[in-house]
Amino acid sequence: MNTTAIYHRPESEFAYLYEKDKMHIRLRTARQDVRHVQLLCGDPYTLYKEAWYQQRIEMKKILSTDLHDYWQVSVGAEFRRLSYGFSIESYDGLHVFYGDHGVYPFEQQYLEMNNNYFRMPYFQEADRFKIPEWAKETVWYQIFPERFANGDPSNDPEGVLPWGLKNPDRQDFFGGDLQGVIDHLDYLVDLGINGIYFCPIFEAYSNHKYDTIDYLAIDPAFGDNDTFKRLVEECHKRGIKVMLDAVFNHMGDTSHQWLDVIKNGKDSPFADWFHINEFPVNYKEGENFEDAYDITYDVFAFTPHMPKLNTENPDVQDYLLKIARYWIEEFDIDAWRLDVANEVSHHFWKKFRQACDDAKDDFYILGEIWHSSQRWLQGDEFHAVMNYAFTDAIIEYFVKDEISMTKMVSELNNQLMLYREQTNQVQFNILDSHDTPRLLTLARGDKDLMRQVMAFTYLQQGVPCLYYGDEIGLTGDMDPDCRKCMIWEEEKQDRDLLHFTRSLISIRKDNQKVLSEGSLSWNWVSEEDGLIIFERELGAQRIIGIFNTGDDQITLSRPDSILMEQFVQLEDETMIIDNKGFAIVKVNNEESNEA
């Protein structure tokens, strides 16, 4: 037995309240090293009186990575406190007890040591990680406002280009605005969308609006505060939630605060609002806007036009928290997406979370973090992150062919085991965005592959997000090319792809509960023929995904009920799946048992 691989940590993703009276407990062991794990648990004050260590609860191996196996069990939390340890038996015959002080032989003298058990002294409902239930049911649609639709030409900025005239450059404006979104809300409803994630809409200098001038005003090229209030109301009438982008890591260099620093230097009342290393503030231009150097203040990346905010300054904190509350209380938004969230202190985000919770019940907070994010997902900062670390594995296998199938599965499982179950249910699964090449471009124009990747992703735990225009075949390389104008002429849209996306979203929503909360099992992962079969199961419901990523046809038994398929031939008793083909199958265990 590889005892060095055994791991558990109380009050973490390894031991947490899932529901008020249900606790999830996990254990990690070396891959294919342990054959049997059981939980010993009971009230910490009755170990000797009840000898509850003699009772064992079976744990199930739920997922595996290339290094580890993960075991899990649910136990009741009705007694509000718990002591627990693990009985572990390896394939080589070793039997050990694992508790708070490590590994011991599985002998009674060690089982009777009260201090040898992990302990949850008291289950505090206030500390349980809670998620907005509506977030599990949401299919998001990301809108880059400047490029979605021009609904009000009267607010077009100077030098605006005709809609879709050319592929966008960094400084181009095409006139997209909030009225354009209002005009197309019924299109989104027809598509099945019930959540919109907006890139920044506040007053800013650029077309992307990540260089904020005034956080309390809608950018004049997009409309005004009244336009936005009407947009939120129209969204809510249609059952659509609204998420705004909060850029609190940095401001624009045309904001009045930064202009005052430029003018007054260290005497400016805003001098401590930023991370300034030397006065006067200055930088030297490079060949491109990203190539500035000798910058005397901290910035986002190497962009001198986005000076970094000092979120430890109490005045900055008060200012940003006021903004957070303002858009919730005055306009009834439902969520914040936090830009560059990993570069802002945890101290501030805890205050931000409390401010949002105080302003509105069931508010959703999403952080932009591209890597593993346990620290932000402990229940007192964010509900979820943009799940790039998860979806990157899908892209790297299916589209880029950079990792093996087994490595993809390993990485997906690894990401799921980093977080509590309720966190995984609302993670933001995004295949492309304003910051990445579009999925169809990554797939080199292969729409069959694109559909396969989308189907695979929409069956995973977490909530899917569709980048505007993907559904009608919009292409685009790295930004700014991925920020093209939406195509509204039906004759120029890929209507087959639109119909596919609408159907896929419908499947996701019709089977939301099992796809949000259901367990995941990898039934078949074959590098040899490229076949992946996995299932999501909750109670009597099972959704099975069957994907052929190999070069040759694969023949399987014909299922009873196929919700969606691509390149599938059905015969009397068999199903033949071609390359890039897939089948989404629905099984009701109760019906199959009755049959």
Side-chain angles (χ1 to χ4, degrees), residues 135-205:
K136 296 192 294 187
E137 304 168 2
T138 306
V139 176
W140 293 95
Y141 190 87
Q142 182 188 355
I143 290 178
F144 191 83
E146 221 282 319
R147 305 292 156 77
F148 186 65
N150 187 346
D152 183 5
S154 70
N155 61 27
D156 286 356
E158 184 178 353
V160 68
L161 299 171
W163 192 258
L165 173 69
K166 58 189 281 291
N167 290 350
D169 288 325
R170 294 200 176 276
Q171 308 303 325
D172 289 340
F173 288 86
F174 292 90
D177 52 32
L178 298 183
Q179 183 60 51
V181 179
I182 295 172
D183 293 343
H184 292 91
L185 286 178
D186 289 339
Y187 165 84
L188 297 181
V189 171
D190 182 63
L191 187 57
I193 298 302
N194 54 1
I196 300 176
Y197 150 40
F198 287 97
C199 288
I201 61 173
F202 307 136
E203 184 179 359
Y205 176 81

Side-chain angles (χ1 to χ4, degrees), residues 269-317:
F270 301 105
D272 192 45
W273 275 47
F274 305 92
H275 295 273
I276 299 172
N277 304 312
E278 181 183 329
F279 290 98
V281 294
N282 202 359
Y283 66 92
K284 295 180 181 177
E285 292 276 7
E287 292 184 8
N288 301 306
F289 84 105
E290 295 176 334
D291 295 335
Y293 62 100
D294 289 349
I295 307 173
T296 63
Y297 50 95
D298 292 352
V299 298
F300 167 66
F302 296 99
T303 308
H305 305 298
M306 298 182 185
K308 185 176 176 66
L309 283 164
N310 176 16
T311 55
E312 294 312 293
N313 180 315
D315 292 336
V316 173
Q317 290 185 5

Side-chain angles (χ1 to χ4, degrees), residues 69-80:
D69 291 333
Y70 291 85
W71 307 75
Q72 182 168 303
V73 68
S74 296
V75 296
E78 60 270 14
F79 298 117
R80 314 305 301 157

